[in-house]
Amino acid sequence: MRSLLAQRPAGGVTRRSAASARRVARVSLVVRATADAVPKPKKPQQMLVYAPPHPLIKHWLALLRSEYTPPQMFRSACAELGRLLIYEAVRDFLPTIEQQVQTPLGAVADATLCDPTKPIKVVPILRAGLVLLEQAGQVMPFQETYHVGYVRDPKTLQATAYLNKLPAKVSPDDLFLITDPMLATGGTIVQVIEDIVSRGGKAENIRVVAVVVAPPALKKLADRFPGLKVYTAMIDEQVDERGYIIPGLGDAGDRAYGTPH
């Protein structure tokens, strides 16, 4: 598949450095960064990654990256970034209904409303996935929340579930939005999506929202889940031997909740 690694400033489109492009180009997926970030895939069975080039997204990401950002500010910045990314993720995702409404002037106007009978199933990966959802109610009028929790072994980097509130069975038409600040090695996010698919869900009806992602995670997702869409502020270039994204954010959960290292 062809990888499109584009950033769009005010004056046009520029490419990342050749070295960075070669590293990320190894991932079998399509990356798009468009002014309106409206998904228009030519091949529905490709996994797509969207990095909206919005100045506010860049601003909040900068605060999250800084080691001097205190926990309360880190959490607030993460919530703001989550709101912006979720807005982009549900742009073509929210089910709608067509109705008419009476205006104060006695006229009747056509109206498009979000469908209350089809709430999006939101799946935050604990702990830090919750922070991305703190302002989600501003952009999603109707939602159901199903918490999942995973802990990663620091030596093997394998993730083990300690909490799973997903429904025992879901419909292929159900829409899911998964939030996790960082997709590094991909072990946790793959397990969560596999859990949803094993219960009857479809990868093409899943959106993932993350602050930063790395090629190892994207490669695993692209290989396993054609049709999946990932929304992120940035694709970072590498994962170190501890499984941390570089340059990354550090431990998002610890930083958001002020947990001592």
Side-chain angles (χ1 to χ4, degrees), residues 77-182:
C78 198
E80 286 286 349
L81 188 53
R83 179 173 64 88
L84 294 170
L85 290 172
I86 290 170
Y87 173 86
E88 297 294 348
V90 301
R91 186 191 291 264
D92 72 330
F93 200 49
L94 285 172
T96 59
I97 54 177
E98 301 300 322
Q99 291 190 350
Q100 290 186 322
V101 296
Q102 184 83 30
T103 76
L105 297 179
V108 174
D110 294 333
T112 300
L113 299 171
C114 293
D115 189 345
T117 68
K118 297 178 180 178
I120 290 180
K121 290 176 167 55
V122 179
V123 183
I125 299 178
L126 304 181
R127 292 174 296 168
L130 284 172
V131 184
L132 287 170
L133 290 174
E134 287 189 353
Q135 297 190 27
Q138 297 183 20
V139 290
M140 288 193 298
F142 309 106
Q143 58 182 291
E144 299 172 349
T145 304
Y146 300 90
H147 300 87
V148 296
Y150 284 80
V151 61
R152 189 170 66 171
D153 187 294
K155 294 182 179 179
T156 66
L157 303 183
Q158 297 300 309
T160 303
Y162 63 85
L163 178 70
N164 191 327
K165 291 294 185 178
L166 289 172
K169 186 174 179 57
V170 302
S171 166
D173 296 327
D174 284 343
L175 305 177
F176 288 86
L177 181 108
I178 305 171
T179 58
D180 192 4
M182 294 179 292

Side-chain angles (χ1 to χ4, degrees), residues 64 74 78 81-82 85-86 122-133 148-152 159 177-193 207-214 217 221 230-234 245 249-253:
L64 292 175
F74 183 94
C78 198
L81 188 53
L85 290 172
I86 290 170
V122 179
V123 183
I125 299 178
L126 304 181
R127 292 174 296 168
L130 284 172
V131 184
L132 287 170
L133 290 174
V148 296
Y150 284 80
V151 61
R152 189 170 66 171
L177 181 108
I178 305 171
T179 58
D180 192 4
M182 294 179 292
L183 307 183
T185 60
T188 300
I189 189 66
V190 165
Q191 287 190 49
V192 174
I193 297 175
R207 302 287 187 270
V208 177
V209 169
V211 177
V212 291
V213 301
L221 291 173
V230 176
Y231 290 77
T232 184
M234 183 63 65
I245 298 177
L249 315 172
D251 188 306

Side-chain angles (χ1 to χ4, degrees), residues 54-74:
H54 196 292
L56 288 176
I57 290 177
K58 297 179 186 300
H59 172 82
W60 296 118
L61 174 61
L63 288 181
L64 292 175
R65 287 211 194 272
S66 172
E67 66 174 319
Y68 301 109
T69 300
Q72 185 57 41
M73 187 178 294
F74 183 94

